[in-house]
Amino acid sequence: MINFHPTQQQLSDFAQGLSAPALSLVISAHADMCPQCKRQISQLESASAKILVEQPFDRMAEQPTDFASMLAEITCLPAAEGPSNISQSHQIELDGRKFSVPRALKRYVEKTGNWSHLLGNLWQAPVDLGPIGKANFIFMQKQGRVPEHTHRGTELTLVIDGEFSDGISHYDTGDFILMNSENTHAPYSEASEGCLVFTIVDAPLHFTSGIARLLNPFSHLFF
Ligand SMILES: [Zn+2]
């Protein structure tokens, strides 16, 4: 069950097209998995569309019927996909296991590199987001553990499949997590099926405890 959602402010900014691109992508992917946020976003979008309609301005006068595509542009949401766009390749695969990704991430499946094994039951596949930056799919096998770390920037995480804990909370499929330099955590999964997450960090992690501090020179591995 989804317990962690973007804040009201984040949803409102998203609906108005004001979110940073990385945040916008992760909120969009979360909304694909979360009917509650999807509904709120569409309400917020119609509210801002109404404001636009009530305020006459030139561009609207030129294209009075094109609200849908304009809003799609503003919110970075792809226009609705027809059935022809749905294909089997919209899954990512690790060791023969296939995972469906939310609609907003489908276009990045082909931009996902090979899996590499990190330390301790952790697997990572880099994702090229083009101008948005870099992301990673991280898979924590059962007992997989990311050493305790804090963040020099922000760390956005969406749980794609499975569940994990980090010493702060327990997260389930669909949960949206935003961490920054004020948060120190150590993600691990005890689920027998492991846990797949999609994560975007805008600066390398900083490992904080014990022997993991020795990893700091390699923290770009997670970046
Ligand atoms: Zn939500």
Side-chain angles (χ1 to χ4, degrees):
M1 189 185 129
I2 298 177
N3 277 311
F4 295 88
H5 308 265
T7 62
Q8 286 303 311
Q9 185 64 51
Q10 285 163 343
L11 289 178
S12 168
D13 288 350
F14 173 81
Q16 294 173 75
L18 303 174
S19 315
L23 181 59
S24 179
L25 176 64
V26 179
I27 290 177
S28 180
H30 168 79
D32 290 335
M33 304 172 84
C34 177
Q36 178 186 328
C37 287
K38 191 166 210 98
R39 197 166 51 241
Q40 280 193 51
I41 289 165
S42 88
Q43 283 163 0
L44 289 159
E45 280 173 352
S46 7
S48 36
K50 192 156 175 282
I51 291 165
L52 285 175
V53 173
E54 284 166 358
Q55 287 174 347
F57 76 96
D58 292 347
R59 188 174 164 197
M60 303 298 290
E62 286 162 22
Q63 297 176 311
T65 57
D66 204 16
F67 294 131
S69 64
M70 189 191 73
L71 279 175
E73 202 179 296
I74 290 173
T75 58
C76 300
L77 281 171
E81 287 173 6
S84 60
N85 287 337
I86 297 165
S87 86
Q88 288 303 312
S89 69
H90 288 147
Q91 293 182 318
I92 62 165
E93 195 175 331
L94 173 64
D95 271 352
R97 266 182 81 186
K98 291 193 167 123
F99 301 91
S100 292
V101 302
R103 188 189 52 107
L105 299 182
K106 285 183 174 174
R107 76 183 96 162
Y108 297 112
V109 168
E110 285 176 5
K111 310 243 164 100
T112 301
N114 292 329
W115 288 99
S116 52
H117 186 213
L118 299 171
L119 65 169
N121 287 351
L122 290 179
W123 294 81
Q124 176 195 48
V127 187
D128 178 6
L129 302 178
I132 299 178
K134 291 184 282 185
N136 283 291
F137 283 107
I138 305 265
F139 185 75
M140 295 174 247
Q141 283 175 316
K142 188 180 181 183
Q143 311 295 356
R145 185 176 286 270
V146 180
E148 184 184 78
H149 60 271
T150 185
H151 315 88
R152 293 197 177 94
T154 56
E155 179 189 73
L156 282 158
T157 304
L158 179 67
V159 184
I160 304 292
D161 190 289
E163 45 193 284
F164 79 97
S165 302
D166 67 353
I168 299 172
S169 301
H170 185 81
Y171 310 97
D172 205 346
T173 303
D175 276 337
F176 169 95
I177 307 145
L178 176 57
M179 295 275 171
N180 59 31
S181 57
E182 290 167 11
N183 310 116
T184 297
H185 68 162
Y188 64 94
S189 180
E190 283 176 346
S192 56
E193 295 294 292
C195 185
L196 177 70
V197 303
F198 176 80
T199 180
I200 304 178
V201 292
D202 58 12
L205 306 182
H206 183 74
F207 295 103
T208 44
S209 70
I211 199 157
R213 279 179 299 172
L214 297 173
L215 291 169
N216 279 322
F218 307 103
S219 62
H220 64 275
L221 286 175
F222 291 91
F223 178 48

